[in-house]
Amino acid sequence: MQPYDLEGSVDDLKRPLVRIETPGFDDPLVVFVDSGFNGALLIDETQAARMGFSVARNSATPVRLASQRSENFSLGEGSFIWLGERRTIIAHVLIETQGERRARNARKTEEEVLIGTGLLSDCRLEIDFPARKVLISKVI
């Protein structure tokens, strides 16, 4: 393993994930890897606030997800530590009503975020589904 490697796993729903320490959170964030998402990071409004992201609330953008559901997102800019390096990135920030947020929070057991190819573009991503292992390595 290289100094910039990040090991993870594949969960029971066959989703590749890693756990990362993030300022503002007591426990590591569960970070799902989505190679079909072209952005860097997808977070909700609460997570954006805790991470110190500046969110442009007046720029709601409807996005159709792989599930074919439409969601509204704003863009937020902030600092994010990725593979030992602090980066300024643009995140897609999910905009929800209080009822939607309550329902989503009731379904999850840990803080979850999504990373896409915007963070993976200088990395090697290995997913071994039978062994249920994930390895993200920074290419130097």
Side-chain angles (χ1 to χ4, degrees):
M1 210 163 79
Q2 300 292 322
Y4 300 110
D5 287 353
L6 187 58
E7 291 183 321
S9 61
V10 176
D11 71 5
D12 292 337
L13 297 176
K14 308 269 189 269
R15 299 176 298 181
L17 64 97
V18 293
R19 294 176 190 277
I20 58 171
E21 300 287 334
T22 304
F25 294 86
D26 295 333
D27 296 315
L29 290 176
V30 174
V31 179
F32 291 103
V33 179
D34 185 351
S35 63
F37 172 50
N38 299 77
L41 185 68
L42 193 147
I43 54 181
D44 65 32
E45 288 178 286
T46 304
Q47 292 164 334
R50 289 175 70 182
M51 295 166 87
F53 274 68
S54 173
V55 179
R57 299 193 188 283
N58 59 348
S59 65
T61 304
V63 174
R64 182 167 303 280
L65 304 175
S67 66
Q68 297 307 307
R69 243 182 38 222
S70 276
E71 298 282 357
N72 287 318
F73 290 89
S74 287
L75 296 179
E77 183 176 7
S79 183
F80 187 73
I81 298 172
W82 177 243
L83 298 174
E85 178 184 309
R86 182 174 294 281
R87 295 185 182 189
T88 299
I89 62 168
I90 301 295
H92 285 74
V93 180
L94 180 61
I95 303 166
E96 301 172 296
T97 66
Q98 192 170 15
E100 291 168 331
R101 185 176 309 112
R102 214 172 325 176
R104 186 174 51 79
N105 285 339
R107 291 190 304 266
K108 58 181 194 175
T109 58
E110 301 173 277
E111 289 290 338
E112 302 171 352
V113 300
L114 193 97
I115 59 168
T117 58
L119 281 178
L120 297 170
S121 62
D122 63 350
C123 298
R124 178 174 294 112
L125 170 63
E126 298 176 30
I127 305 172
D128 184 339
F129 284 98
R132 297 178 71 157
K133 293 183 178 181
V134 174
L135 179 64
I136 300 173
S137 305
K138 183 171 180 161
V139 178
I140 8 183

Short mmCIF file of all heavy atoms in Angstrom, two decimals, residues 37-45 47-49 51-57 59 61 63 72-80 87-95 113-116 118-119:
data_model
loop_
_atom_site.label_atom_id
_atom_site.label_comp_id
_atom_site.label_asym_id
_atom_site.label_seq_id
_atom_site.Cartn_x
_atom_site.Cartn_y
_atom_site.Cartn_z
N PHE A 37 -20.90 9.52 -11.70
CA PHE A 37 -21.10 10.90 -11.26
C PHE A 37 -19.87 11.70 -11.66
O PHE A 37 -18.77 11.42 -11.21
CB PHE A 37 -21.33 10.93 -9.75
CG PHE A 37 -21.35 12.32 -9.14
CD1 PHE A 37 -22.14 13.33 -9.66
CD2 PHE A 37 -20.59 12.58 -8.01
CE1 PHE A 37 -22.17 14.59 -9.08
CE2 PHE A 37 -20.61 13.83 -7.42
CZ PHE A 37 -21.40 14.84 -7.95
N ASN A 38 -20.05 12.70 -12.52
CA ASN A 38 -18.93 13.47 -13.04
C ASN A 38 -18.42 14.55 -12.09
O ASN A 38 -17.36 15.11 -12.31
CB ASN A 38 -19.30 14.13 -14.38
CG ASN A 38 -19.66 13.10 -15.41
OD1 ASN A 38 -20.75 12.55 -15.36
ND2 ASN A 38 -18.75 12.81 -16.31
N GLY A 39 -19.17 14.84 -11.06
CA GLY A 39 -18.75 15.86 -10.11
C GLY A 39 -17.74 15.29 -9.12
O GLY A 39 -17.32 14.13 -9.20
N ALA A 40 -17.36 16.13 -8.17
CA ALA A 40 -16.39 15.72 -7.16
C ALA A 40 -17.08 15.11 -5.94
O ALA A 40 -16.72 14.01 -5.50
CB ALA A 40 -15.53 16.91 -6.72
N LEU A 41 -18.08 15.80 -5.42
CA LEU A 41 -18.67 15.42 -4.14
C LEU A 41 -20.15 15.76 -4.15
O LEU A 41 -20.55 16.80 -4.66
CB LEU A 41 -17.95 16.22 -3.04
CG LEU A 41 -18.28 15.96 -1.59
CD1 LEU A 41 -17.81 14.57 -1.17
CD2 LEU A 41 -17.59 17.00 -0.71
N LEU A 42 -20.96 14.87 -3.59
CA LEU A 42 -22.39 15.11 -3.44
C LEU A 42 -22.70 15.00 -1.96
O LEU A 42 -22.45 13.96 -1.34
CB LEU A 42 -23.19 14.08 -4.24
CG LEU A 42 -24.66 14.40 -4.40
CD1 LEU A 42 -25.16 13.89 -5.73
CD2 LEU A 42 -25.48 13.84 -3.28
N ILE A 43 -23.20 16.09 -1.38
CA ILE A 43 -23.49 16.17 0.05
C ILE A 43 -24.84 16.84 0.26
O ILE A 43 -25.39 17.43 -0.67
CB ILE A 43 -22.38 16.95 0.80
CG1 ILE A 43 -22.16 18.34 0.17
CG2 ILE A 43 -21.09 16.16 0.83
CD1 ILE A 43 -21.07 19.17 0.83
N ASP A 44 -25.36 16.75 1.48
CA ASP A 44 -26.60 17.47 1.76
C ASP A 44 -26.28 18.81 2.42
O ASP A 44 -25.12 19.09 2.73
CB ASP A 44 -27.58 16.61 2.60
CG ASP A 44 -27.08 16.28 4.00
OD1 ASP A 44 -26.35 17.10 4.60
OD2 ASP A 44 -27.44 15.20 4.50
N GLU A 45 -27.29 19.62 2.64
CA GLU A 45 -27.08 20.98 3.18
C GLU A 45 -26.44 20.96 4.57
O GLU A 45 -25.57 21.77 4.86
CB GLU A 45 -28.41 21.73 3.26
CG GLU A 45 -28.94 22.15 1.91
CD GLU A 45 -30.28 22.86 2.05
OE1 GLU A 45 -31.29 22.18 2.31
OE2 GLU A 45 -30.29 24.10 1.89
N GLN A 47 -24.48 18.62 5.86
CA GLN A 47 -23.08 18.23 5.71
C GLN A 47 -22.26 19.39 5.15
O GLN A 47 -21.14 19.63 5.60
CB GLN A 47 -22.97 17.00 4.79
CG GLN A 47 -23.55 15.75 5.40
CD GLN A 47 -23.78 14.66 4.38
OE1 GLN A 47 -23.97 14.91 3.19
NE2 GLN A 47 -23.78 13.42 4.85
N ALA A 48 -22.82 20.11 4.18
CA ALA A 48 -22.11 21.25 3.59
C ALA A 48 -21.79 22.28 4.67
O ALA A 48 -20.68 22.81 4.73
CB ALA A 48 -22.94 21.88 2.48
N ALA A 49 -22.75 22.55 5.54
CA ALA A 49 -22.53 23.53 6.62
C ALA A 49 -21.45 23.03 7.58
O ALA A 49 -20.56 23.80 7.96
CB ALA A 49 -23.83 23.78 7.36
N MET A 51 -19.05 21.06 6.96
CA MET A 51 -17.75 21.01 6.28
C MET A 51 -17.24 22.40 5.92
O MET A 51 -16.15 22.54 5.39
CB MET A 51 -17.85 20.13 5.03
CG MET A 51 -18.15 18.69 5.35
SD MET A 51 -18.66 17.74 3.91
CE MET A 51 -17.09 17.22 3.28
N GLY A 52 -18.06 23.42 6.17
CA GLY A 52 -17.64 24.79 5.89
C GLY A 52 -17.76 25.19 4.43
O GLY A 52 -17.09 26.13 3.99
N PHE A 53 -18.62 24.53 3.67
CA PHE A 53 -18.81 24.87 2.26
C PHE A 53 -19.69 26.10 2.13
O PHE A 53 -20.67 26.26 2.86
CB PHE A 53 -19.44 23.70 1.50
CG PHE A 53 -18.46 22.70 1.01
CD1 PHE A 53 -17.75 21.90 1.89
CD2 PHE A 53 -18.22 22.55 -0.35
CE1 PHE A 53 -16.84 20.96 1.45
CE2 PHE A 53 -17.30 21.62 -0.80
CZ PHE A 53 -16.60 20.82 0.10
N SER A 54 -19.36 26.95 1.20
CA SER A 54 -20.17 28.13 0.87
C SER A 54 -21.13 27.71 -0.24
O SER A 54 -20.69 27.35 -1.34
CB SER A 54 -19.24 29.25 0.40
OG SER A 54 -20.00 30.32 -0.08
N VAL A 55 -22.43 27.75 0.04
CA VAL A 55 -23.43 27.24 -0.89
C VAL A 55 -24.19 28.39 -1.53
O VAL A 55 -24.69 29.27 -0.84
CB VAL A 55 -24.41 26.29 -0.17
CG1 VAL A 55 -25.47 25.78 -1.13
CG2 VAL A 55 -23.66 25.14 0.48
N ALA A 56 -24.27 28.37 -2.86
CA ALA A 56 -25.04 29.36 -3.62
C ALA A 56 -26.49 28.88 -3.66
O ALA A 56 -26.88 28.12 -4.54
CB ALA A 56 -24.47 29.51 -5.02
N ARG A 57 -27.29 29.30 -2.70
CA ARG A 57 -28.66 28.80 -2.56
C ARG A 57 -29.59 29.23 -3.68
O ARG A 57 -30.59 28.60 -3.93
CB ARG A 57 -29.23 29.23 -1.22
CG ARG A 57 -28.42 28.69 -0.07
CD ARG A 57 -29.15 28.84 1.24
NE ARG A 57 -28.30 28.48 2.35
CZ ARG A 57 -28.01 27.26 2.70
NH1 ARG A 57 -28.48 26.26 2.01
NH2 ARG A 57 -27.23 27.02 3.74
N SER A 59 -29.06 29.14 -6.80
CA SER A 59 -28.72 28.52 -8.08
C SER A 59 -29.18 27.06 -8.13
O SER A 59 -28.42 26.18 -8.49
CB SER A 59 -27.21 28.58 -8.30
OG SER A 59 -26.55 27.80 -7.31
N THR A 61 -30.39 23.67 -9.30
CA THR A 61 -30.28 23.00 -10.58
C THR A 61 -30.93 21.63 -10.47
O THR A 61 -30.52 20.82 -9.63
CB THR A 61 -28.79 22.81 -10.96
OG1 THR A 61 -28.15 24.07 -10.94
CG2 THR A 61 -28.64 22.16 -12.31
N VAL A 63 -31.46 17.85 -11.29
CA VAL A 63 -30.58 16.79 -11.82
C VAL A 63 -31.36 15.49 -11.79
O VAL A 63 -32.03 15.18 -10.81
CB VAL A 63 -29.31 16.67 -10.95
CG1 VAL A 63 -28.45 15.50 -11.38
CG2 VAL A 63 -28.50 17.96 -10.98
N ASN A 72 -33.14 18.46 -6.71
CA ASN A 72 -32.59 19.80 -6.91
C ASN A 72 -31.28 19.92 -6.15
O ASN A 72 -31.19 19.51 -4.99
CB ASN A 72 -33.57 20.87 -6.41
CG ASN A 72 -34.74 21.01 -7.34
OD1 ASN A 72 -34.57 21.01 -8.56
ND2 ASN A 72 -35.92 21.14 -6.80
N PHE A 73 -30.29 20.49 -6.79
CA PHE A 73 -28.98 20.68 -6.19
C PHE A 73 -28.55 22.13 -6.33
O PHE A 73 -28.88 22.79 -7.31
CB PHE A 73 -27.92 19.81 -6.88
CG PHE A 73 -28.08 18.35 -6.61
CD1 PHE A 73 -28.87 17.57 -7.43
CD2 PHE A 73 -27.45 17.75 -5.55
CE1 PHE A 73 -29.02 16.21 -7.20
CE2 PHE A 73 -27.59 16.40 -5.30
CZ PHE A 73 -28.38 15.63 -6.13
N SER A 74 -27.81 22.59 -5.34
CA SER A 74 -27.08 23.85 -5.44
C SER A 74 -25.62 23.48 -5.56
O SER A 74 -25.24 22.34 -5.32
CB SER A 74 -27.29 24.71 -4.19
OG SER A 74 -28.58 25.25 -4.16
N LEU A 75 -24.81 24.46 -5.91
CA LEU A 75 -23.37 24.22 -5.94
C LEU A 75 -22.74 24.89 -4.73
O LEU A 75 -23.13 25.99 -4.35
CB LEU A 75 -22.75 24.77 -7.23
CG LEU A 75 -23.24 24.10 -8.51
CD1 LEU A 75 -22.58 24.74 -9.74
CD2 LEU A 75 -22.98 22.60 -8.49
N GLY A 76 -21.80 24.22 -4.13
CA GLY A 76 -21.09 24.75 -2.97
C GLY A 76 -19.60 24.63 -3.17
O GLY A 76 -19.13 23.66 -3.76
N GLU A 77 -18.87 25.60 -2.69
CA GLU A 77 -17.41 25.56 -2.80
C GLU A 77 -16.82 25.44 -1.41
O GLU A 77 -17.28 26.07 -0.46
CB GLU A 77 -16.88 26.82 -3.48
CG GLU A 77 -15.38 26.79 -3.68
CD GLU A 77 -14.86 28.00 -4.43
OE1 GLU A 77 -15.64 28.94 -4.70
OE2 GLU A 77 -13.67 28.01 -4.75
N GLY A 78 -15.81 24.59 -1.31
CA GLY A 78 -15.18 24.42 -0.02
C GLY A 78 -13.90 23.63 -0.11
O GLY A 78 -13.51 23.17 -1.18
N SER A 79 -13.30 23.46 1.04
CA SER A 79 -12.04 22.74 1.15
C SER A 79 -12.32 21.32 1.61
O SER A 79 -13.14 21.10 2.51
CB SER A 79 -11.15 23.48 2.14
OG SER A 79 -9.90 22.87 2.22
N PHE A 80 -11.64 20.36 1.00
CA PHE A 80 -11.88 18.95 1.30
C PHE A 80 -10.54 18.23 1.29
O PHE A 80 -9.75 18.41 0.38
CB PHE A 80 -12.82 18.37 0.23
CG PHE A 80 -13.29 16.97 0.50
CD1 PHE A 80 -14.22 16.71 1.48
CD2 PHE A 80 -12.82 15.92 -0.27
CE1 PHE A 80 -14.67 15.42 1.71
CE2 PHE A 80 -13.27 14.63 -0.05
CZ PHE A 80 -14.19 14.38 0.95
N ARG A 87 -7.91 20.12 -0.93
CA ARG A 87 -8.32 20.62 -2.25
C ARG A 87 -9.52 21.54 -2.10
O ARG A 87 -10.40 21.31 -1.28
CB ARG A 87 -8.75 19.47 -3.15
CG ARG A 87 -7.68 18.50 -3.50
CD ARG A 87 -8.24 17.51 -4.48
NE ARG A 87 -7.25 16.51 -4.84
CZ ARG A 87 -7.43 15.64 -5.80
NH1 ARG A 87 -8.55 15.63 -6.49
NH2 ARG A 87 -6.50 14.76 -6.08
N THR A 88 -9.56 22.56 -2.93
CA THR A 88 -10.77 23.38 -3.04
C THR A 88 -11.59 22.75 -4.15
O THR A 88 -11.11 22.59 -5.28
CB THR A 88 -10.42 24.84 -3.37
OG1 THR A 88 -9.63 25.36 -2.31
CG2 THR A 88 -11.67 25.67 -3.53
N ILE A 89 -12.82 22.38 -3.82
CA ILE A 89 -13.67 21.69 -4.79
C ILE A 89 -15.05 22.31 -4.84
O ILE A 89 -15.45 23.06 -3.95
CB ILE A 89 -13.80 20.18 -4.46
CG1 ILE A 89 -14.46 19.98 -3.10
CG2 ILE A 89 -12.46 19.47 -4.52
CD1 ILE A 89 -14.88 18.56 -2.84
N ILE A 90 -15.76 21.97 -5.89
CA ILE A 90 -17.17 22.32 -6.03
C ILE A 90 -17.98 21.06 -5.72
O ILE A 90 -17.73 20.00 -6.29
CB ILE A 90 -17.49 22.81 -7.47
CG1 ILE A 90 -16.65 24.01 -7.85
CG2 ILE A 90 -18.99 23.09 -7.62
CD1 ILE A 90 -16.91 25.25 -7.03
N ALA A 91 -18.91 21.18 -4.80
CA ALA A 91 -19.77 20.05 -4.43
C ALA A 91 -21.19 20.32 -4.91
O ALA A 91 -21.64 21.47 -4.95
CB ALA A 91 -19.75 19.87 -2.92
N HIS A 92 -21.87 19.25 -5.25
CA HIS A 92 -23.30 19.32 -5.50
C HIS A 92 -23.98 19.14 -4.15
O HIS A 92 -23.71 18.16 -3.44
CB HIS A 92 -23.74 18.20 -6.46
CG HIS A 92 -23.36 18.47 -7.88
ND1 HIS A 92 -22.06 18.36 -8.33
CD2 HIS A 92 -24.10 18.85 -8.93
CE1 HIS A 92 -22.03 18.66 -9.60
NE2 HIS A 92 -23.25 18.96 -10.00
N VAL A 93 -24.83 20.09 -3.79
CA VAL A 93 -25.46 20.10 -2.47
C VAL A 93 -26.96 19.85 -2.65
O VAL A 93 -27.64 20.62 -3.31
CB VAL A 93 -25.20 21.43 -1.73
CG1 VAL A 93 -25.86 21.42 -0.36
CG2 VAL A 93 -23.70 21.70 -1.61
N LEU A 94 -27.43 18.76 -2.06
CA LEU A 94 -28.83 18.37 -2.16
C LEU A 94 -29.71 19.34 -1.39
O LEU A 94 -29.46 19.64 -0.23
CB LEU A 94 -29.02 16.96 -1.60
CG LEU A 94 -30.42 16.36 -1.63
CD1 LEU A 94 -30.94 16.26 -3.05
CD2 LEU A 94 -30.41 14.99 -0.96
N ILE A 95 -30.74 19.85 -2.06
CA ILE A 95 -31.70 20.76 -1.45
C ILE A 95 -32.95 19.95 -1.12
O ILE A 95 -33.52 19.31 -2.00
CB ILE A 95 -32.08 21.91 -2.41
CG1 ILE A 95 -30.82 22.66 -2.82
CG2 ILE A 95 -33.09 22.84 -1.77
CD1 ILE A 95 -31.06 23.58 -4.01
N VAL A 113 -21.85 10.25 2.01
CA VAL A 113 -21.65 11.19 0.91
C VAL A 113 -21.27 10.38 -0.33
O VAL A 113 -21.03 9.17 -0.25
CB VAL A 113 -20.57 12.25 1.22
CG1 VAL A 113 -20.94 13.07 2.43
CG2 VAL A 113 -19.21 11.63 1.41
N LEU A 114 -21.22 11.04 -1.44
CA LEU A 114 -20.90 10.39 -2.71
C LEU A 114 -19.74 11.12 -3.36
O LEU A 114 -19.74 12.36 -3.39
CB LEU A 114 -22.14 10.46 -3.61
CG LEU A 114 -22.13 9.60 -4.84
CD1 LEU A 114 -22.90 8.32 -4.55
CD2 LEU A 114 -22.81 10.34 -5.97
N ILE A 115 -18.75 10.38 -3.85
CA ILE A 115 -17.68 11.00 -4.62
C ILE A 115 -17.76 10.49 -6.06
O ILE A 115 -18.21 9.38 -6.32
CB ILE A 115 -16.27 10.72 -4.05
CG1 ILE A 115 -15.97 9.23 -4.00
CG2 ILE A 115 -16.09 11.38 -2.71
CD1 ILE A 115 -14.52 8.91 -3.72
N GLY A 116 -17.34 11.36 -6.97
CA GLY A 116 -17.37 11.01 -8.38
C GLY A 116 -16.02 11.20 -9.04
O GLY A 116 -14.99 11.37 -8.37
N GLY A 118 -14.71 13.60 -10.45
CA GLY A 118 -14.00 14.86 -10.19
C GLY A 118 -12.90 14.69 -9.15
O GLY A 118 -11.89 15.38 -9.19
N LEU A 119 -13.07 13.78 -8.21
CA LEU A 119 -12.03 13.48 -7.22
C LEU A 119 -11.17 12.30 -7.64
O LEU A 119 -10.07 12.12 -7.14
CB LEU A 119 -12.63 13.19 -5.84
CG LEU A 119 -13.06 14.38 -5.02
CD1 LEU A 119 -13.67 13.93 -3.71
CD2 LEU A 119 -11.90 15.32 -4.76
#
